[in-house]
Amino acid sequence: MVFLSRMLYVAKGKRKIRKSLYGKFIDSLRIYVRGGAGGMGFPKYGGIGGKGGDVIVVAKEGTTLKSLLNENPTKRFVAGNGGNSSKNRILGEQGANKIITVPVGITIVDDYGRVLGELNTEGSTVLLAQGEAGGSPATQFSGRKAQPLSVNLDLKLIADVGLVGFPNAGKSTFLRAISRAKPRVASYPFTTIRPNIGVLEYPDLRQITMADLPGLIEGAHINIGMGHKFLKHVERTKLLLLVADIEGFKLGPEYPYRSCLETVVLLNKELELYRDDLLDKPAMLVINKMDLDGACDKYEEIKDKLRNLADVIGDFPEEMRPERTLDFTDIITISANGDLKSVERVKNRIREILDFHAMLQKEDKETDVIAELRAQMSPKGPQML
């Protein structure tokens, strides 16, 4: 009977994680936080209660939101209360801080949509909930109670390159060929249901990260299909790499067939509707599955249109037509499933493009610094000589 009572107590005290969350990639988690309450003061001796502990979020490589949920199924994070003042301890002990360890790339958003902080580097911190002051003469020696807060931990992957494409365009196959990643590959749509990160390695030990993200479908900008679960991860990439199937794409019997050229236009449209500034990122276009019969003839028909997309965009229906078009630095044909030379060509161009834009950003920063120094050194008013 005693054993049974103990088992029931343990089961009641520890909340189980929903089965639907097992095995799934989690990129958003809503949590409850509260700083510690202040300790009580001691009026007889004028003692001050201890300050409540703080809730602090810290970014750490190798951590995931799933591991955070596994360790804290209740999703409640409360700091320790401040100690009461007493005749033996006039100043109450400060409450223990509560540390929440999260992956790099987290944005903290409250229920009103306000961004409370971002953690984009290892070791970066955000003070999420501050502990309240202890009891003092100003509060009639009563410690202040802390206010609870609910926030969303929103993960946006940080990678150098983001693969963008319709389902079954060959993004996962391409990532396997160009890096050490081993994403799931199959001949049906939505093989990728969670982001995969691959590392491109070069002979001089340079490494570039590439994210293979769930495939887009029409209407992704309004959260149809994978929708925002995919698109938000594109925001922090330095280079967009669009992958299109030379055979085009059709999601199912009830959906219209889209040619290779149409998929490129629609991808452009979805990115624009989600966030217009995504079109300002450097972009490459890879036409995949060139080993298929008739692929070369199909590419010959559209290659000039792909290179001059802005000039032919008016030929498309208004619902497909973007306001602006992506400016592709390169358009490269490949066969990710067998032509390793074409994949290697893409790999080398990725490095060249990233290095080129990194150099431009460095020059822009240096120019800004020089302009600021000149402004500081410029004469203020007339000078007496």
Side-chain angles (χ1 to χ4, degrees):
M1 185 66 183
V2 173
F3 174 77
L4 180 59
S5 298
R6 287 179 179 175
M7 292 298 294
L8 290 173
Y9 175 80
V10 171
K12 182 179 179 181
K14 188 169 183 180
R15 189 174 170 186
K16 292 184 178 180
I17 303 170
R18 292 197 312 265
K19 289 184 178 180
S20 61
L21 295 177
Y22 282 111
K24 287 192 175 183
F25 173 74
I26 301 174
D27 57 7
S28 185
L29 187 65
R30 191 169 187 268
I31 63 173
Y32 169 98
V33 298
R34 189 178 75 234
M40 297 296 291
F42 196 18
K44 184 175 180 180
Y45 295 104
I48 306 299
K51 175 186 173 296
D54 300 328
V55 178
I56 302 170
V57 186
V58 181
K60 183 179 179 181
E61 293 285 357
T63 304
T64 65
L65 289 180
K66 184 179 177 182
S67 64
L68 178 65
L69 180 61
N70 287 337
E71 294 169 5
N72 303 271
T74 63
K75 298 181 284 185
R76 293 173 61 89
F77 300 87
V78 180
N81 296 330
N84 296 331
S85 173
S86 67
K87 64 179 181 180
N88 296 322
R89 186 175 182 128
I90 297 300
L91 296 178
E93 185 177 5
Q94 180 171 331
N97 292 335
K98 184 68 175 180
I99 306 298
I100 305 175
T101 305
V102 299
V104 175
I106 286 290
T107 299
I108 304 173
V109 185
D110 67 12
D111 287 340
Y112 299 97
R114 294 174 298 197
V115 175
L116 304 181
E118 294 186 346
L119 299 104
N120 297 328
T121 57
E122 168 85 8
S124 57
T125 63
V126 171
L127 175 58
L128 189 54
Q130 193 166 0
E132 288 295 343
S136 66
T139 62
Q140 297 182 343
F141 297 96
S142 294
R144 295 181 181 273
K145 292 185 177 180
Q147 296 298 317
L149 177 68
S150 292
V151 298
N152 287 296
L153 303 178
D154 193 21
L155 176 65
K156 296 178 183 178
L157 295 179
I158 299 176
D160 297 310
V161 184
L163 294 179
V164 181
F166 273 66
N168 214 31
K171 301 188 302 301
S172 297
T173 304
F174 174 70
L175 186 66
R176 289 181 63 137
I178 204 171
S179 74
R180 295 181 301 172
K182 296 181 179 180
R184 187 179 179 187
V185 176
S187 58
Y188 51 84
F190 297 117
T191 305
T192 303
I193 57 175
R194 53 171 291 177
N196 295 294
I197 298 291
V199 179
L200 282 58
E201 295 185 340
Y202 296 84
D204 61 353
L205 304 183
R206 169 76 180 277
Q207 292 186 338
I208 292 173
T209 54
M210 177 179 286
D212 172 27
L213 305 163
L216 285 177
I217 63 172
E218 294 176 56
H221 68 281
I222 54 174
N223 216 19
I224 294 177
M226 296 295 180
H228 294 173
K229 285 182 68 66
F230 159 79
L231 285 167
K232 69 176 184 178
H233 294 299
V234 178
E235 297 177 26
R236 290 179 176 168
T237 57
K238 300 173 184 176
L239 171 68
L240 300 180
L241 199 158
L242 274 66
V243 181
D245 185 341
I246 188 62
E247 294 290 321
F249 174 71
K250 187 173 184 178
L251 184 61
E254 67 275 25
Y255 294 92
Y257 164 77
R258 300 300 187 187
S259 68
C260 178
L261 180 60
E262 287 174 331
T263 61
V264 174
V265 173
L266 285 168
L267 288 171
N268 192 144
K269 177 77 170 180
E270 292 298 333
L271 291 170
E272 179 187 63
L273 290 174
Y274 178 70
R275 277 190 59 167
D276 180 74
D277 60 352
L278 290 177
L279 303 186
D280 298 324
K281 288 181 179 288
M284 292 178 62
L285 174 61
V286 167
I287 306 298
N288 192 22
K289 304 184 183 180
M290 291 298 295
D291 56 320
L292 299 177
D293 292 339
C296 292
D297 292 336
K298 290 181 179 179
Y299 180 68
E300 284 296 320
E301 294 176 3
I302 63 172
K303 68 178 183 179
D304 290 335
K305 294 181 179 180
L306 290 172
R307 291 171 183 166
N308 303 282
L309 202 57
D311 297 333
V312 300
I313 209 71
D315 298 337
F316 291 86
E318 186 175 352
E319 63 272 13
M320 294 176 58
R321 193 188 313 151
E323 297 291 329
R324 289 197 297 144
T325 56
L326 287 160
D327 184 15
F328 297 117
T329 58
D330 295 77
I331 300 176
I332 302 177
T333 57
I334 69 165
S335 173
N337 204 25
D339 186 0
L340 294 182
K341 287 184 178 179
S342 64
V343 173
E344 192 69 19
R345 188 166 71 249
V346 176
K347 181 178 178 179
N348 292 330
R349 280 299 293 155
I350 287 171
R351 176 173 181 168
E352 292 169 359
I353 293 168
L354 288 174
D355 288 348
F356 174 74
H357 284 278
M359 181 188 67
L360 290 181
Q361 289 181 350
K362 183 180 179 181
E363 291 177 351
D364 290 341
K365 288 181 180 178
E366 291 175 349
T367 302
D368 292 340
V369 170
I370 293 172
E372 185 177 346
L373 289 173
R374 284 177 176 172
Q376 293 174 359
M377 296 173 63
S378 62
K380 308 297 183 183
Q383 298 184 69
M384 301 298 292
L385 301 178

